[in-house]
Amino acid sequence: MVAPVVARQVRNGIEESVHRGDIVEADVAGRIIRQLGDPDRLVTLRSTVKPFGLVALIEAGGIAAFDLQPDELAVMASSHSGEDLHVRTLQGLYRRSGVSQALLACGSEGAPLDELTAARLARDGEKAGPVRHMCSGQHTVSLLLSRLRGWDPTEYWRSSHPSQIAYRAAVAQAYGTTPTKLRTAIDGCGVETYAFHLREVARAFAMLADPSAIPADDARSEVAASLTIVRDAMLANPEMIAGRHDRLDTSLMKAAPDRLLSKAGMEALRGIAILPGPRSGTSEAGATGMAIKIEDGDGYDRGTWAATVEALRQAGVLDGGALRDLARYHRPTILDPHGRVGAETIAEFVLAPVGELIG
């Protein structure tokens, strides 16, 4: 299946390029509510896995053992920008838990993501360490698990390490499968990533939106309390999830507070948990999850930005003031050296209700 066009890069009416992609919205039961393209497209979760992997530490008793606070939980589910607020939060956690920051094995490639922080470090002659890497929070989960269980923390990143086995089990449970059935690959930060169909990603994020709606006879209901803790920590700390400057996940959550949770992964995958509540044109709607994948990896972010905001608008989640707050993401522009708009990215698709497609 050829993925449909979701956004076009236009310069003075001339189409320069297009971004193709697939979008799925599903509910907690796995029913597809809206879709565009192929809901069975296989994707690697990359950083969208982080809220679910964090459950491993919570289920092991990590909150009580380390007196974990909501902002600390949030940063362990994040792809943070490497700003000082992220570093201070993690370093405080290391000091309190007795874990050595020197054990972090996520590398420092591309860190920090925040341009202002990177410029300051360069000015001061300071080299960014692994703690500023976007995945240092995720790696901290394994280090804390190792501390809690008495496991040797060296080479915690290997797939055979007990902390990775625990993380893998948490992901498998969240996706309704078993660890032995997981299809894995190596993520950019050196730990495993996992592959699922886009519809499965959407359903997992629907469960994250409202864990209480998971049926009692579903094994995933056993971790509903932990998923609720993760959800609430992320909702309360949107700047920990990404960053303060031009990070769509944070901007979405601040524009629609307590309404949605957004988590991006590399290669232009994004999972969105949409909490129960009113939507445009309806008085009330149950929890759903949305999974968005841009086919070309979207190195400039523009296709992902435009498609995400437009999909949420069509689903009735964003309107009015929220759309105005997100205008720079909804229709990203490229300026010339004199501040003139040279090009803009325009989302162009219809996220159709599945009932219409079937009927």
Side-chain angles (χ1 to χ4, degrees):
M1 179 182 293
V2 176
V5 172
V6 297
R8 302 178 186 275
Q9 172 80 354
V10 178
R11 190 176 298 268
N12 194 27
I14 302 167
E15 181 180 283
E16 292 190 311
S17 59
V18 298
H19 297 282
R20 297 179 179 274
D22 303 285
I23 305 173
V24 184
E25 183 183 7
D27 64 13
V28 174
R31 290 185 294 266
I32 295 180
I33 309 300
R34 295 176 179 85
Q35 75 176 64
L36 176 75
D38 184 7
D40 289 313
R41 175 169 185 156
L42 189 68
V43 296
T44 50
L45 294 182
R46 307 298 295 272
S47 287
T48 64
V49 75
K50 293 173 180 177
F52 306 101
L54 177 55
V55 168
L57 180 60
I58 297 173
E59 289 287 304
I63 292 178
F66 302 116
D67 190 25
L68 298 178
Q69 301 303 304
D71 60 336
E72 294 168 336
L73 291 167
V75 82
M76 286 189 283
S78 79
S79 295
H80 63 76
S81 291
E83 298 170 61
D84 289 350
L85 79 159
H86 305 120
V87 171
R88 286 195 299 267
T89 301
L90 285 167
Q91 289 179 334
L93 177 54
Y94 298 144
R95 285 192 297 270
R96 194 171 67 250
S97 63
V99 171
S100 173
Q101 177 182 319
L103 290 167
L104 278 171
C106 52
S108 56
E109 180 71 24
L113 293 179
D114 182 63
E115 292 183 358
L116 293 176
T117 303
R120 191 196 79 227
L121 294 179
R123 181 199 67 199
D124 296 343
E126 181 182 344
K127 183 180 179 180
V131 71
R132 291 194 186 271
H133 190 279
M134 72 178 84
C135 295
S136 61
Q138 178 187 23
H139 283 239
T140 299
V141 172
S142 290
L143 289 173
L144 291 181
L145 274 170
S146 298
R147 177 73 171 179
L148 182 62
R149 297 300 197 195
W151 299 325
D152 182 354
T154 57
E155 298 192 335
Y156 69 83
W157 47 272
R158 292 192 180 277
S159 60
S160 58
H161 191 273
S163 68
Q164 294 300 321
I165 293 172
Y167 200 97
R168 190 182 310 132
V171 174
Q173 183 166 22
Y175 276 82
T177 186
T178 61
T180 57
K181 293 181 180 179
L182 289 174
R183 185 169 178 179
T184 65
I186 298 175
D187 208 338
C189 62
V191 296
E192 282 187 329
T193 187
Y194 313 92
F196 290 98
H197 296 113
L198 211 57
R199 67 164 74 224
E200 296 176 286
V201 179
R203 184 181 187 183
F205 274 85
M207 292 182 173
L208 182 61
D210 186 9
S212 67
I214 302 174
D217 59 356
D218 188 323
R220 286 169 281 200
S221 65
E222 298 172 5
V223 294
S226 294
L227 284 172
T228 301
I229 291 170
V230 173
R231 180 200 66 187
D232 292 348
M234 296 177 75
L235 289 172
N237 296 277
E239 290 186 343
M240 286 295 174
I241 303 309
R244 295 178 295 177
H245 308 118
D246 287 329
R247 296 296 304 278
L248 181 55
D249 286 338
T250 293
S251 295
L252 281 171
M253 294 168 69
K254 293 179 75 172
D258 299 320
R259 189 73 186 89
L260 61 84
L261 184 160
S262 179
K263 185 70 201 73
M266 291 297 288
E267 297 302 321
L269 176 67
R270 173 167 276 106
I272 302 171
I274 305 169
L275 277 66
R279 301 194 189 188
S280 298
T282 63
S283 58
E284 190 74 19
T288 63
M290 190 176 286
I292 301 168
K293 172 65 177 176
I294 304 301
E295 186 177 73
D296 59 21
D298 197 23
Y300 294 98
D301 285 331
R302 62 196 183 205
T304 306
W305 286 359
T308 296
V309 178
E310 177 62 16
L312 289 169
R313 184 195 70 79
Q314 291 189 29
V317 181
L318 298 176
D319 60 9
L323 284 175
R324 288 191 291 273
D325 290 343
L326 296 164
R328 72 184 189 278
Y329 300 106
H330 196 185
R331 198 157 176 158
T333 58
I334 295 177
L335 305 180
D336 78 352
H338 310 288
R340 297 175 299 182
V341 174
E344 57 186 351
T345 302
I346 303 169
E348 186 178 285
F349 60 87
V350 175
L351 188 59
V354 169
E356 290 183 9
L357 291 175
I358 294 173

